[in-house]
Amino acid sequence: VSIMGEIVIETFEYDGHRQVTAYVPASPPEAVVFAGDGQLITQWGGVLEAADVPPTVIVGTHRPDDETLRLHEYSPVFDAERFAAHEKFFVEDVRQWARSRLAVALPLERTAVFGVSASGEFALAMGLRHPDIYGVVFCASPGAGYRPPPVMPVSLPRVYLIAGTLEPFFLENATRWAVALRDAGADVVMSERVASHGDALWREEFPLMV
């Protein structure tokens, strides 16, 4: 898909040499989405351009090639030390880079964190741990490692959850979060689609989330 916006790639010192890719729209941005699985999600700038949505920056941190390491970075329940290191990189370094390099500094209600599958768990974790930074969580087909805590934070972001009816495990996880967040008083959208686990479902829902 050809895009009108610009793709910006930066390599950070984190974890040896971790890349971050950003999609910057041609018009002044009105929203920003910070995402895990950046090599996947940043490609969807063209999808946003084709949809009737406000100009939106996507800042995507790349995942490691090793699936176990990816899970450890994205879910706080497996390797607390690795998760914390990635969280610091994502919340501090990447956000500071977006401010300085891309001149993106938008208000809380226009700043989202997005993830799919394992990085969907990460998006939920970032939203719950940093509701003063990410006003909105976009979570697609989350895994089951990170589950709603027994006591929810007092301050909660708005949350948009999506899962497919043909991926019952992930639909169950998303529904569990939707119920827990609603019970805690959060503003929640829960979208079910006839779809299986994969890019097609997430890419199609992304403009609706935005």
Side-chain angles (χ1 to χ4, degrees), residues 75 77 121 128 143-150 152 169 172-173 176-177:
S75 181
V77 301
E121 296 179 55
L128 263 63
Y146 178 52
R147 295 179 176 227
M152 284 284 198
F169 170 77
E172 183 186 337
N173 300 334
R176 182 190 304 118
W177 272 103

Side-chain angles (χ1 to χ4, degrees), residues 151-168:
V151 180
M152 284 284 198
V154 176
S155 177
L156 289 166
R158 291 175 289 145
V159 181
Y160 190 125
L161 291 146
I162 163 77
T165 55
L166 306 180
E167 48 165 12

